[in-house]
Amino acid sequence: MSSLTKAALICGSGSMIILVSILINLPFVVQIFLLLTGLVISIYGVFLLAKMVVHPPEKLAKDSIEQPTGPAPKKKKGPTSTR
């Protein structure tokens, strides 16, 4: 799994924790704990995403510069009618 996918999943899981803490009727202390936990996880995910924008991994930087120049795929013709 790429680091971009991991960072996006971390950010999304923090958002889901926040959503669950709001939707489920839990005691106030538990709701606050889940909200703060989800907020911390989401901020960490955003931090990872921002870090990748500022310092992209070497593999991604090389792949974006060198794009393969292969022949374009040929379109298949559909069946013709025999009337």
Side-chain angles (χ1 to χ4, degrees):
M1 196 179 328
S2 72
S3 56
L4 179 63
T5 306
K6 287 180 185 176
L9 284 174
I10 290 171
C11 195
S13 63
S15 299
M16 291 304 292
I17 292 172
I18 293 170
L19 182 67
V20 166
S21 71
I22 292 170
L23 292 178
I24 296 178
N25 191 11
L26 296 169
F28 181 72
V29 175
V30 176
Q31 278 187 334
I32 295 298
F33 176 73
L34 286 174
L35 281 170
L36 292 175
T37 304
L39 184 64
V40 167
I41 292 172
S42 291
I43 289 173
Y44 178 67
V46 170
F47 168 74
L48 289 177
L49 289 170
K51 190 172 86 171
M52 271 189 282
V53 169
V54 174
H55 303 291
E58 291 297 323
K59 183 179 178 183
L60 291 177
K62 290 179 182 177
D63 289 344
S64 63
I65 295 172
E66 300 172 8
Q67 295 178 352
T69 55
K74 296 180 181 179
K75 291 185 179 179
K76 294 182 179 179
K77 291 187 178 181
T80 57
S81 66
T82 56
R83 286 189 180 182

